[in-house]
Amino acid sequence: MSTATAPAPARVQRQRTAGWKKPDGAVYVGRGSKWGNPYRLGTTQVRTPALDGSMWEQEGRLGKRSGQWHGFVHPDGTVTSHLVQDAAPEQVVELYRRWVAGRPGLVDAVREQLAGRDLMCWCPLEQPCHADWLLDVANGDMPTASYLEPARRTLLICGFSFNALPSLHRSVVK
C-alpha cells in the first residue's frame, strides 16, 4: 500500500488573464496584504558600501539617481562616497527579511497562518520573491531566530559585491 504525500507548498504567480483562478487554499502575500513587501523593484535603492562599512544598505535619501556616486557627510565631518543603485531582487527580499525582523511576533504569525499553504505574489517565478522566504519560514523547522539572521552569501552586480539571500527562488533558470 503506497502512501501519497501532499505536494509541498509552492509559490504561485498571480495573473490577470481570462479564466485564471487561484489555486484552492492559496494565500495572496503581495502588496495590499499584511504579508506584502514594502520594498519595490525599480523604486527601492541601495548604496554601496553601507555607512557602517558593510556591503550595502538601503538608500533612504530621496532624489538620488541610480548609477551615480554620491557623497555622504558623517557627523564627525568626514565625507565618504557611495554608489547608489536600484535594488536587485535579492536585495529587496533581504530588506523584507530585515523589515520582518523588526516586527516581533510576525514570524510566529507566518508559521501559524501560512504553513502548508501555497503563496501567491505578482513576482515572476524565475526571480527571487519574498514569498519564497515566507514559504521557507512557514514550512521550515529552523528556530525563529535563524530566519531573522543576516544573509551570508554574496551577489555580484555591476562589478560590486552585495550580501544576498541564499537561493531564494525555487525555479532553476538555465
Side-chain angles (χ1 to χ4, degrees), residues 19-54:
W20 185 84
K21 294 176 97 175
K22 81 176 188 96
D24 288 338
V27 177
Y28 176 64
V29 296
R31 284 186 199 86
S33 74
K34 74 181 194 177
W35 313 110
N37 189 345
Y39 303 99
R40 294 177 183 262
L41 279 176
T43 59
T44 301
Q45 292 182 318
V46 296
R47 68 174 150 241
T48 58
L51 298 177
D52 66 3
S54 60

Side-chain angles (χ1 to χ4, degrees), residues 48-119:
T48 58
L51 298 177
D52 66 3
S54 60
M55 298 296 253
W56 64 271
E57 67 187 351
Q58 182 183 7
E59 171 61 64
R61 301 172 292 172
L62 299 176
K64 301 300 177 194
R65 293 184 55 198
S66 186
Q68 292 188 336
W69 288 88
H70 296 277
F72 185 87
V73 180
H74 296 267
D76 65 1
T78 59
V79 178
T80 55
S81 289
H82 304 270
L83 178 64
V84 175
Q85 295 277 71
D86 288 338
E90 292 87 355
Q91 292 168 314
V92 171
V93 175
E94 173 61 11
L95 287 169
Y96 179 75
R97 184 204 57 78
R98 294 175 187 178
W99 180 80
V100 170
R103 283 148 183 81
L106 192 53
V107 171
D108 293 331
V110 167
R111 287 183 164 165
E112 290 170 14
Q113 298 172 33
L114 302 179
R117 314 273 303 266
D118 289 339
L119 303 182

